[in-house]
Amino acid sequence: MAAWRQGARLCLLTALAVSSVGCTRPASSELGELPPSVGDFDDAPLKPIVVAHGGQGSPAALSDGPLRAVQAARTRMDAGDPPWEAAIVGIEGLEDDPRFNAGIGANLRMDGKTIQTDAAVMDDLGSFGAVAGIRGVRHPIRVAEAVASTPHLLMVGAGAQAFADTLKLEGATLATQRARDKLAHGWARLLSDRPMAGWEGVDWRKAWNYEVPAPKNLREARVLALGEEGADALAAAEAAAEASQAEDESADTEDGTKDTVGVVVRSSEGHYAAALSTGGTTMALRGRVGDVPQLGAGLYAGPHGAVAATGKGEAIIRERVAAEVYRRMADGLPPQQAIEVATRNITADEGVGVIAVSDLGWGAWATSQMAWAAQEGAKLYRADEMVWR
Ligand code: ASP
């Protein structure tokens, strides 16, 4: 089993701190011993910074996706666009990448049909726009952007969908085979004796609010995800694996569904923006909304920095992750430490990942593997090329 799957909380990297940060979460008394985020010195001109993530749980090997997003965002900043537009452009690239849970590649919900995409964008000038529960739009982040030009901050459901229609944005079929496989995997976990965090002891059949009947067993659940033929093929593959005693990857402790995308940006003028886009979690009742469109939960930006989270939305909302990371950065903590302190009440089983940028540099951290990339000035960083310990 890969090292990152063994339950250790993996630390990523602090800007310019080329030696890796220790893996265990520090006690507050130990914070002074952590390597500082090494950003710009007070009297040096600010370097532009862009950081992007492909979601908590996404393999670090997919960091080429966030890297492209970072470069696209940076190109826009170099052309004179503000952080708001740069962050959105970065997100658009990730929404087009079917390997991530946003736009094309968005998660399917439990019935195998429902898709609900959420997105949000915020900058340090006080602009915020968010949308929740829309489908069929290739770039939900552009709907969130448009919400910011209305008197509102957040639009949801049928009204948001109708609003999106007025924008005449490009449509797309968002569901992919990968999303179907993830759903089948999610069902196996839910129906196992160790369901994912939050679902333990929950009578989900009683709460079932989809139009199709609740599945009675794993076979019926897999049919929702994969169809009759797909469910049969999966059962046959499992039987063959069991016969050859191959390791069953589906017994992984991760539920493998939290690969939301996020971007944070700092301009050389010291302006900030954060943006997020997601298909939400697969194993969710119809109408469930996570942290992504909620100001201060999934994202926050202000004069002291920008923060974008990923992971179990319920835990991120409960801990007000983005607002808390931001508050600590505003108090002078470097981004990496701010992230680690503000997420300490979220368990590895719940899962969280955060990217953040401030005038002291940038940070990226997750409870598991996470694809991410960063560019500070001319220097590029990506999760799969970092030293881990
Ligand atoms: N935070 C997202 C949600 O709960 C999931 C993710 O990060 O992929 O909707």
Side-chain angles (χ1 to χ4, degrees):
M1 185 180 283
W4 68 272
R5 289 180 172 157
Q6 289 169 354
R9 305 188 64 129
L10 296 177
C11 293
L12 301 180
L13 189 91
T14 299
L16 297 186
V18 176
S19 60
S20 63
V21 180
C23 283
T24 46
R25 182 178 284 266
S28 52
S29 59
E30 293 169 350
L31 284 175
E33 296 160 25
L34 282 171
S37 289
V38 185
D40 305 282
F41 296 103
D42 281 348
D43 53 355
L46 281 177
K47 291 176 191 155
I49 297 178
V50 184
V51 191
H53 72 65
Q56 182 258 316
S58 59
L62 301 188
S63 294
D64 60 298
L67 185 69
R68 270 195 292 276
V70 158
Q71 290 173 313
R74 178 58 193 276
T75 301
R76 296 304 281 263
M77 280 209 291
D78 290 350
D81 281 333
W84 171 275
E85 177 65 13
I88 288 173
V89 165
I91 291 287
E92 279 184 315
L94 290 162
E95 287 175 335
D96 282 342
D97 190 330
R99 299 173 299 171
F100 300 107
N101 169 27
I104 295 167
N107 280 340
L108 281 157
R109 299 295 163 101
M110 293 170 94
D111 63 347
K113 287 191 189 136
T114 302
I115 287 189
Q116 294 179 211
T117 55
D118 310 335
V121 55
M122 182 171 188
D123 73 8
D124 64 336
L125 304 175
S127 292
F128 178 89
V131 66
I134 61 168
R135 59 180 297 154
V137 177
R138 180 171 180 162
H139 296 128
I141 192 67
R142 289 291 178 191
V143 185
E145 178 187 35
V147 171
S149 65
T150 72
H152 312 306
L153 298 180
L154 168 62
M155 294 177 73
V156 306
Q161 189 77 48
F163 173 70
D165 291 346
T166 69
L167 302 172
K168 311 251 181 289
L169 296 169
E170 191 177 341
T173 302
L174 306 183
T176 58
Q177 183 57 42
R178 181 174 166 275
R180 300 205 165 279
D181 293 341
K182 278 166 55 181
L183 177 58
H185 182 80
W187 269 117
R189 177 90 194 263
L190 182 65
L191 298 175
S192 74
D193 52 10
R194 216 179 67 74
M196 55 279 281
W199 288 87
E200 311 91 341
V202 171
D203 187 352
W204 58 266
R205 285 193 175 84
K206 203 167 159 207
W208 183 260
N209 62 349
Y210 290 96
E211 282 167 7
V212 298
K216 293 191 203 61
N217 49 44
L218 182 57
R219 154 91 194 163
E220 285 188 16
R222 284 177 165 172
V223 170
L224 289 182
L226 303 169
E228 298 274 349
E229 264 180 40
D232 290 345
L234 181 55
E238 277 177 352
E242 202 176 320
S244 69
Q245 297 186 328
E247 192 181 337
D248 180 6
E249 283 288 318
S250 68
D252 195 338
T253 54
E254 285 285 321
D255 59 27
T257 59
K258 293 181 282 195
D259 32 14
T260 282
V261 302
V263 175
V264 292
V265 171
R266 179 183 86 183
S267 72
S268 47
E269 291 79 35
H271 287 295
Y272 294 94
L276 283 175
S277 183
T278 189
T281 55
T282 48
M283 305 314 283
L285 295 168
R286 186 151 66 120
R288 175 265 185 195
V289 176
D291 57 296
V292 165
Q294 301 197 45
L295 196 157
L299 84 172
Y300 195 83
H304 298 288
V307 186
T310 168
K312 186 158 186 65
E314 285 72 9
I316 295 169
I317 296 166
R318 182 189 74 216
E319 301 298 327
R320 295 172 298 129
V321 165
E324 287 299 314
V325 172
Y326 180 83
R327 183 170 69 82
R328 287 172 164 87
M329 295 195 308
D331 285 348
L333 219 52
Q336 191 78 15
Q337 281 111 317
I339 293 169
E340 292 183 8
V341 173
T343 57
R344 63 170 29 142
N345 292 330
I346 300 183
T347 66
D349 208 27
E350 291 175 316
V352 65
V354 182
I355 53 174
V357 62
S358 78
D359 52 358
L360 293 181
W362 57 275
W365 192 89
T367 53
S368 69
Q369 199 166 191
M370 177 169 81
W372 61 264
Q375 182 168 10
E376 177 172 8
K379 241 176 157 167
L380 294 169
Y381 303 81
R382 49 190 286 175
D384 49 351
E385 288 176 2
M386 290 301 156
V387 180
W388 299 52
R389 69 174 168 87

